[in-house]
Amino acid sequence: MADHKHQKDQDQKTEHKSFAHSEERREFPHGHAEILEIGGTKIGRMTFEPGWRWSKDVKPIVHTKSCEAPHFQYHVSGRLAIRMDDGTEFIAGPGDITSLPRGHDAWVVGNEPVVVVDWFGASSYAKAQ
């Protein structure tokens, strides 16, 4: 097993990128997503302005019943309410980490923009179907 780990470490390369120079930017009502590719995967920084709600602002772009992009997110700022299709509901805030499978809605709570960094799901988020 140690040999496999050593091989994987050799395949990794040093990279340094910044969202200030994102490789892709996706605009949607009340927000945007900035996408970088690093370490062989896409990472997204999403900004949602007060009034943003997935079912109102992104659903018309992707044409799905609920958000089908899974997420693994670090919440930088603002408060984001999340309701899973099974009825589970909670609010995530600064410093929280969330793992969200497919099938959810979300909306900004309050008057502060929400910023999240997403390590899983950024490649397909807010892309027209």
Side-chain angles (χ1 to χ4, degrees):
M1 188 153 168
D3 289 336
H4 176 72
K5 182 183 181 320
H6 180 69
Q7 176 63 37
K8 191 171 187 165
D9 289 344
Q10 287 182 343
D11 293 341
Q12 185 176 6
K13 64 180 183 176
T14 302
E15 296 180 83
H16 176 235
K17 294 188 176 184
S18 170
F19 284 113
H21 305 287
S22 62
E23 295 155 354
E24 183 179 356
R25 183 177 170 102
R26 298 181 198 144
E27 299 281 344
F28 43 85
H30 297 104
H32 61 272
E34 299 158 296
I35 312 296
L36 293 174
E37 186 165 341
I38 189 165
T41 192
K42 291 189 177 186
I43 310 296
R45 178 173 68 180
M46 275 74 111
T47 301
F48 309 121
E49 298 296 333
W52 176 89
R53 185 173 185 131
W54 183 90
S55 55
K56 181 181 66 154
D57 296 318
V58 180
K59 181 178 181 174
I61 298 169
V62 300
H63 306 289
T64 58
K65 181 181 133 237
S66 57
C67 183
E68 293 297 318
H71 304 286
F72 186 65
Q73 299 175 325
Y74 174 72
H75 294 256
V76 177
S77 62
R79 293 170 34 98
L80 186 68
I82 300 156
R83 181 181 300 131
M84 304 305 297
D85 286 354
D86 70 5
T88 303
E89 188 171 321
F90 58 92
I91 296 176
D96 290 350
I97 296 174
T98 54
S99 176
L100 307 172
R102 292 173 170 89
H104 55 273
D105 191 10
W107 58 94
V108 173
V109 175
N111 294 318
E112 182 182 353
V114 169
V115 176
V116 298
V117 176
D118 194 350
W119 279 268
F120 194 70
S123 62
S124 62
Y125 191 79
K127 276 190 127 173
Q129 300 292 323

